[in-house]
Amino acid sequence: MQKAYLLALYELAQNDPNVVLLLADSGTSYDELIRSSMPDRVYDFGIGEENMVAAAAGMASAGLIPYVFTAGAFLAYRSMEFIRNDVCLQKMNVKLVGMGTGLGWSTLGPTHHTTEDLSILRAIPGLTILSPCDPAETSACIKLAYQIKGPVYVRIGMGGEKNIYADNPLLELGHFNTLRDGNDISVFASGIILNEVLRASDILQEHNISVKVLDACSIKPPDEACIREEAKSKKMLVAVEEHSVTGGLGSALLETLSSTGVPSKVLRIGINNQFGTGYGTYDEVVKANGLDGQSIAEKILSALESA
Amino acid sequence: MQNQELSSLRKKIFLTAYPIKAAHIASAFSIVEILYSLYCDGVMHYNVTNLNDPDRDRFILSKGHASLAVYAILNKIGIISDAELSTFCRPGYSLGGEVNINETAGVEATTGSLGHGLSFGVGIALALKKKKSPGKVYVLVGNGEIQEGVMWEAVMTAYKFKLDNLVVILDDNKVQKMGFTRDTMRIDSWNERWAAFGWIVDETDGHNVEQLTAILKKKNNSDCPRIIIANTVKGKGVSIMENNPDWHFKMPYRRELKVFMKELNISEEELEDAKSISPCAL
């Protein structure tokens, strides 16, 4: 994903001299691509995320289009007030790219886990939030963010993510792509955890449960029409998120349904009012937090039984 | 003549605030001469008929609560009308207690939460350099807000990025909300601290326009950012308010009002007029 992000940014930067990359000692080896060919486009602010975010807003006020890149946790938590006051309140054309979001920093633990960023940032007016699930969708998000004249937060992973989309996905704001069709329940998820959701859907298929899987990359705005439609036709909606169940995608589903008058059972699977636990590989930490395909399938089966 | 203009600005600030009975008057009085020097004494380059000129100089009030001083100066140079000024903090209107870029023409950044303005200014200065613009960025910071850690992140990056187009003016009035700054934070010398971070430091009487302008107009022959430490008096212009922390966010009672009226040369009629202004006239 990081490579896809950099390649997409490189393309944008080649075509628009106003596109710049801001870092807080937070780059990756892929940055070299831009650093070596366009050194005047890279600004390393040192370890100081708040200053970097506010400076990005200042740059945008004078016509640049900054892509701010750092660990999601430091971006969303540490510089939150700067995202709010300097970027969003002032409607600045700044793109915030959080890396290693969710449980991505699997060996470093809860200080680095980004499991409340959506709760925090979704509440800020005027901020578009995109959560791509694979490299191709990451590239699409970076380009879509460029089209949007205003603040955008893009939530990406640590690197090495598998492809979910065969081709470049068509990405539209406020639209959820269907990854797999099904009749019984609809599962909404965004980001890398969609791999586990697809695995869970295979397991559920063995139990004769037909699962529709939706890619909720456009977290804000969400696809309200889709949520309403699924609520009408399915016996249960499920939100799976590599994030707290408070304030994330599951909450977005409930917020949408609360104004529709369509009662539907909504199961939220994510991190339950706790910090992400465990250390290890990404897959191991996902499992330790009950978000592997098997655990997701079991939670859904259990909810269906008690429904 | 100039003294009269400065008195008029203070009078306007007070009469704008008085009907609302809620404003940071002392903080605004502290920076009147600084703003006059920047906007009215030939320091800043701007065009009132083209506020979006990409090569304009920018002013950022990092201590956003002194907004009234900015509104008064924008009024003086013809960006804010008298009618608009009379809408200060009135429901349904947009002139607020903190400056707001979306709501007031001529304002370059929304501030209010302390410690943001310098970082924002660093960003503008970087963009101006990238675009090879001659524009400069002037950021006025308060002596209290530099207790915010992010200010020092900005101080370091301004030096790193060689922002010789950035000028900070420190409104060093020695007072902050709850008391004297020396009692809130142990500070030896601002001069040495900023110099240690690589900045070019100048110091001046912050109420002497001639001195301020001379220093602000000084050519920067280095590749370093500049700071001008302006020694100011919080509440400057009204004796009972000067250097008195009680007045951070306070309006005068009846007896105190007499002192304000006398020292700001406000007549009964002018006070009644100010109270009677209806923003509906806009």
Side-chain angles (χ1 to χ4, degrees):
Chain A
M1 272 185 171
Q2 293 187 22
K3 188 177 176 188
Y5 151 70
L6 239 297
L7 288 173
L9 187 61
Y10 181 63
E11 198 183 317
L12 292 174
Q14 278 180 318
N15 294 322
D16 184 340
N18 289 321
V19 170
V20 291
L21 166 59
L22 273 56
L23 303 168
D25 194 27
S26 51
T28 70
S29 55
Y30 304 118
D31 300 345
E32 206 44 42
L33 181 65
I34 295 185
R35 274 184 195 276
S36 56
S37 58
M38 295 182 269
D40 64 326
R41 304 294 192 85
V42 183
Y43 296 87
D44 188 344
F45 281 75
I47 306 166
E49 293 78 10
E50 304 163 26
N51 176 49
M52 169 173 63
V53 169
M59 284 173 145
S61 85
L64 297 184
I65 306 171
Y67 278 71
V68 175
F69 179 80
T70 190
F74 310 147
L75 191 55
Y77 306 152
R78 187 167 209 128
S79 51
M80 187 274 180
E81 195 203 41
F82 297 78
I83 294 175
R84 180 184 184 274
N85 289 7
D86 296 282
V87 177
C88 296
L89 177 61
Q90 306 190 54
K91 302 176 182 164
M92 291 301 167
N93 194 18
V94 171
K95 317 306 169 188
L96 305 158
V97 183
M99 165 265 280
T101 51
L103 302 166
W105 295 88
S106 63
T107 60
L108 298 183
T111 56
H112 284 58
H113 291 160
T114 320
T115 45
E116 302 86 25
D117 56 330
L118 298 177
S119 330
I120 293 165
L121 299 180
R122 237 168 37 87
I124 303 180
L127 181 63
T128 299
I129 302 179
L130 303 172
S131 172
C133 65
D134 76 353
E137 196 169 46
T138 299
S139 177
C141 282
I142 296 304
K143 290 173 186 169
L144 178 62
Y146 176 78
Q147 302 297 329
I148 298 166
K149 301 294 173 223
V152 181
Y153 172 64
V154 186
R155 187 183 203 255
I156 71 171
M158 279 300 281
E161 291 81 7
K162 300 176 194 78
N163 288 320
I164 288 179
Y165 285 95
D167 302 310
N168 289 337
L170 196 64
L171 191 61
E172 253 180 83
L173 263 195
H175 175 76
F176 293 164
N177 288 336
T178 300
L179 293 181
R180 195 174 278 183
D181 214 350
N183 304 318
D184 297 326
I185 64 170
S186 291
V187 183
F188 299 77
S190 76
I192 315 154
I193 208 69
L194 265 165
N195 288 292
E196 299 301 326
V197 169
L198 291 170
R199 213 159 284 144
S201 120
D202 292 338
I203 297 167
L204 292 166
Q205 198 68 53
E206 292 164 16
H207 290 79
N208 292 321
I209 297 162
S210 165
V211 180
K212 181 167 181 176
V213 179
L214 291 134
D215 172 11
C217 175
S218 177
I219 293 264
K220 186 182 174 185
D223 189 341
E224 296 190 348
C226 164
I227 296 168
R228 285 192 207 108
E229 205 46 50
E230 297 305 315
K232 276 186 210 159
S233 57
K234 303 294 190 304
K235 64 177 98 157
M236 186 166 79
L237 303 190
V238 184
V240 178
E241 40 196 334
E242 196 181 328
H243 185 271
S244 166
V245 294
T246 307
L249 176 62
S251 298
L253 294 191
L254 291 166
E255 287 157 18
T256 302
L257 293 176
S258 72
S259 61
T260 62
V262 181
S264 179
K265 185 173 170 68
V266 177
L267 172 65
R268 286 173 298 151
I269 299 174
I271 296 172
N272 290 299
N273 197 29
Q274 62 182 28
F275 297 101
T277 54
Y279 301 92
T281 64
Y282 173 72
D283 289 342
E284 286 164 347
V285 173
V286 162
K287 190 169 183 188
N289 287 276
L291 289 170
D292 57 302
Q294 184 67 39
S295 302
I296 293 168
E298 283 167 13
K299 285 173 189 169
I300 291 174
L301 282 171
S302 156
L304 283 170
E305 276 164 23
S306 64
Chain B
M1 179 61 192
Q2 188 186 83
N3 280 345
Q4 198 168 347
E5 286 179 87
L6 294 165
S7 304
S8 300
L9 283 166
R10 286 196 167 84
K11 185 169 174 174
K12 199 142 217 168
I13 290 168
F14 180 71
L15 288 176
T16 303
Y18 188 69
I20 304 306
K21 300 234 177 334
H24 291 93
I25 296 172
S27 303
F29 277 21
S30 176
I31 63 169
V32 169
E33 283 77 14
I34 298 170
L35 291 184
Y36 183 91
S37 171
L38 287 169
Y39 282 92
C40 306
D41 206 26
V43 172
M44 272 180 28
H45 299 94
Y46 59 89
N47 181 351
V48 174
T49 57
N50 181 15
L51 291 175
N52 293 321
D53 177 0
D55 290 333
R56 70 192 182 278
D57 289 343
R58 271 85 161 171
F59 171 74
I60 292 171
L61 179 72
S62 190
K63 44 171 273 186
H65 56 281
S67 62
L68 270 172
V70 171
Y71 301 152
I73 209 86
L74 293 179
N75 171 257
K76 182 171 171 56
I77 63 173
I79 295 177
I80 293 181
S81 67
D82 282 348
E84 193 180 355
L85 203 57
S86 73
T87 68
F88 177 69
C89 288
R90 309 265 189 159
Y93 296 90
S94 59
L95 214 55
E98 308 277 354
V99 289
N100 189 314
I101 190 174
N102 300 324
E103 298 182 334
T104 308
V107 168
E108 300 281 5
T110 300
T111 52
S113 175
L114 294 174
H116 285 241
L118 183 52
S119 298
F120 197 95
V122 163
I124 299 177
L126 278 170
L128 292 177
K129 272 192 168 287
K130 173 139 194 343
K131 289 170 176 285
K132 303 201 183 333
S133 164
K136 283 189 180 164
V137 184
Y138 296 87
V139 183
L140 192 155
V141 307
N143 59 302
E145 72 170 326
I146 42 181
Q147 287 154 18
E148 294 279 8
V150 66
M151 295 280 304
W152 298 95
E153 295 178 12
V155 167
M156 281 190 276
T157 49
Y159 177 69
K160 168 190 170 162
F161 291 122
K162 302 181 176 172
L163 298 180
D164 53 5
N165 57 348
L166 176 68
V167 181
V168 163
I169 301 140
L170 171 59
D171 169 30
D172 193 8
N173 63 32
K174 282 93 181 164
V175 180
Q176 57 192 95
K177 180 172 179 252
M178 300 302 287
F180 292 100
T181 298
R182 63 169 183 266
D183 298 327
T184 310
M185 188 56 66
R186 188 177 176 194
I187 300 294
D188 34 36
S189 153
W190 283 132
N191 195 320
E192 286 171 28
R193 287 189 182 206
W194 288 75
F197 280 89
W199 286 54
I200 309 289
V201 185
D202 279 303
E203 205 164 342
T204 180
D205 175 350
H207 297 299
N208 182 321
V209 172
E210 200 181 328
Q211 271 187 36
L212 275 166
T213 301
I215 282 185
L216 283 164
K217 281 187 171 173
K218 243 169 65 175
K219 206 168 154 37
N220 184 356
N221 293 315
S222 74
D223 62 2
C224 304
R226 290 184 70 202
I227 174 163
I228 288 127
I229 297 169
N231 291 301
T232 52
V233 175
K234 189 159 175 173
K236 173 78 176 177
V238 178
S239 55
I240 55 173
M241 187 164 62
E242 285 185 1
N243 204 30
N244 181 349
D246 293 351
W247 286 89
H248 179 73
F249 191 76
K250 174 174 141 77
M251 294 298 281
Y253 297 116
R254 189 187 298 259
R255 247 176 293 170
E256 295 164 337
L257 183 60
K258 291 205 169 121
V259 181
F260 272 71
M261 290 174 67
K262 180 161 178 285
E263 298 186 10
L264 296 174
N265 195 24
I266 297 168
S267 68
E268 285 288 349
E269 197 183 357
E270 283 171 322
L271 193 75
E272 286 310 309
D273 276 356
K275 279 198 285 190
S276 71
I277 285 174
S278 159
C280 298
L282 189 67

